[in-house]
Amino acid sequence: MKIGSIIAEFNPIHEGHRLLIDKVRENNDGVVVVMSGNFVQRGECAIFEKAERAKAAIENGADLVLELPLLYALSSAEGFARGAISILDKAGCIDELWFGSECGDIELLHETAGAVVYAQNHDDFFRYMRNGDTLPVALQKTIETYYEDDIIKTLTEPNNTLAVEYLKAMDELGCSFTPVTIGRTGAEHDSDVVSENIASASKIRKLILSGEDASAFVPVLPEADTADIRRLETAILAKLRTMSCKEIEKAPNVLMGLENRIYKAARVSSNLAELYMLIKTKRYTMARIRRIVLACFLG
């Protein structure tokens, strides 16, 4: 048997995901999915709990859904990719990894992955980081100095960036399965624009949480309760207020005194949006702040 695989959050599963599963199914005898659990990489809870999302994946053509452990699900793109690729590698039965990308060009993605590895080990990259740039900005600046426009443009798109991390992880782990990419079509990542029956997962979540009809964009809409991180505001703030700076410092990716900002912000914030803004600095992306806060809350 030939087995294809997908790494996903399915938050929630939508028509674009179904098309990807169909494509993998056309070229393989089985489809394995590695999926985030109840919390996702953007530092929030998934809109539906993991069993409902796994069920939707099976109903739309997957044969097996494996959970990506929380540690990796709440990590950077690099950690997320490495955790998922490691699971597929350990499975020992995977022949192909399929993923969408804006460029749809596997050779360009391989070249970009090589450029990222080079840049992350260059003195310029570390200098930008020391000067306060976020990791993505420092990486972008270094790449712009040494590489052509096609590589630079590739790294400006979120699905390309994650695809590059998959390829890096596969190379580092010595994986034997083959990466296959297809060009992303329809709505862009995090876009509010709808293209025929394709909408971004973020747009679909907004529709569902506001009580609007999202059935046109979702092949299977679970008949289950939804989750919203804002319902945890009081609990998260209460937890942070019980933690010392030393305890906060132990959370993943808390560096360079960020624990002090979190400690102080938790004591004056009345909601999560305010908390995130008070913690935010030039050095940290908002997604990273959300992941750190959630990691503190979840222990």
Side-chain angles (χ1 to χ4, degrees):
M1 292 182 68
K2 185 182 175 188
I3 306 298
S5 62
I6 298 169
I7 299 168
E9 292 189 314
F10 292 159
N11 184 33
I13 194 167
H14 55 62
E15 289 296 335
H17 295 140
R18 185 183 60 78
L19 292 172
L20 177 59
I21 294 174
D22 287 349
K23 196 71 175 177
V24 179
R25 170 67 66 189
E26 288 172 13
N27 291 273
N28 291 272
D29 301 301
V31 181
V32 173
V33 175
V34 175
M35 186 190 79
S36 300
N38 288 332
F39 297 92
V40 294
Q41 206 256 345
R42 64 189 296 117
E44 297 178 350
C45 46
I47 192 167
F48 296 112
E49 63 108 3
K50 60 188 179 184
E52 292 290 341
R53 288 160 39 241
K55 179 183 176 184
I58 296 296
E59 289 174 346
N60 281 275
D63 296 295
L64 173 67
V65 181
L66 303 173
E67 182 177 353
L68 180 65
L70 181 64
L71 175 66
Y72 302 113
L74 283 187
S75 186
S76 63
E78 186 174 24
F80 179 95
R82 188 175 180 86
I85 293 295
S86 179
I87 289 172
L88 292 174
D89 187 45
K90 293 293 195 302
C93 63
I94 304 301
D95 295 291
E96 295 179 340
L97 170 65
W98 285 68
F99 47 84
S101 62
E102 286 85 3
C103 71
D105 184 339
I106 195 67
E107 291 306 319
L108 178 57
L109 291 171
H110 274 297
E111 290 179 28
T112 306
V116 169
V117 172
Y118 173 81
Q120 287 179 328
N121 289 281
H122 199 282
D123 289 343
D124 287 358
F125 172 75
F126 295 108
R127 175 166 55 82
Y128 292 132
M129 290 287 287
R130 286 194 299 271
N131 290 340
D133 285 327
T134 63
L135 188 150
V137 171
L139 182 63
Q140 190 74 22
K141 286 182 177 180
T142 309
I143 293 285
E144 287 173 353
T145 303
Y146 298 99
Y147 289 90
E148 299 297 326
D149 289 347
D150 58 343
I151 300 293
I152 296 168
K153 185 177 185 302
T154 300
L155 279 176
T156 64
E157 303 287 357
N159 290 280
N160 287 343
T161 300
L162 191 54
V164 164
E165 294 300 337
Y166 292 154
L167 296 177
K168 283 173 56 190
M170 288 177 64
D171 185 56
E172 291 166 7
L173 295 170
C175 299
S176 59
F177 46 88
T178 303
V180 182
T181 191
I182 59 174
R184 182 185 172 97
T185 59
E188 296 181 358
H189 181 80
D190 274 350
S191 171
D192 273 336
V193 177
V194 174
S195 175
E196 296 181 356
N197 67 333
I198 303 291
S200 69
S202 60
K203 173 65 174 179
I204 295 169
R205 289 193 298 273
K206 289 177 184 177
L207 290 173
I208 293 172
L209 291 175
S210 64
E212 298 182 56
D213 183 15
S215 59
F217 312 112
V218 183
V220 178
L221 190 60
E223 294 181 4
D225 292 333
T226 58
D228 186 338
I229 191 72
R230 290 172 295 182
R231 297 177 195 150
L232 287 172
E233 279 183 335
T234 303
I236 291 173
L237 291 171
K239 171 63 176 177
L240 289 175
R241 289 168 185 163
T242 68
M243 298 177 72
S244 67
C245 282
K246 285 289 185 184
E247 289 172 324
I248 295 171
E249 187 182 15
K250 293 178 182 177
N253 297 310
V254 175
L255 304 169
M256 306 184 79
L258 187 68
E259 67 276 8
N260 297 309
R261 293 183 67 89
I262 297 173
Y263 182 87
K264 292 175 182 176
R267 277 152 180 76
V268 297
S269 301
S270 58
N271 56 59
L272 286 178
E274 185 178 1
L275 176 74
Y276 298 147
M277 289 305 300
L278 288 174
I279 297 171
K280 183 77 177 73
T281 69
K282 179 184 175 184
R283 188 182 297 274
Y284 291 85
T285 63
M286 190 60 81
R288 187 172 177 182
I289 296 295
R290 290 196 299 263
R291 289 195 296 268
I292 288 172
V293 168
L294 196 48
C296 288
F297 175 63
L298 295 171

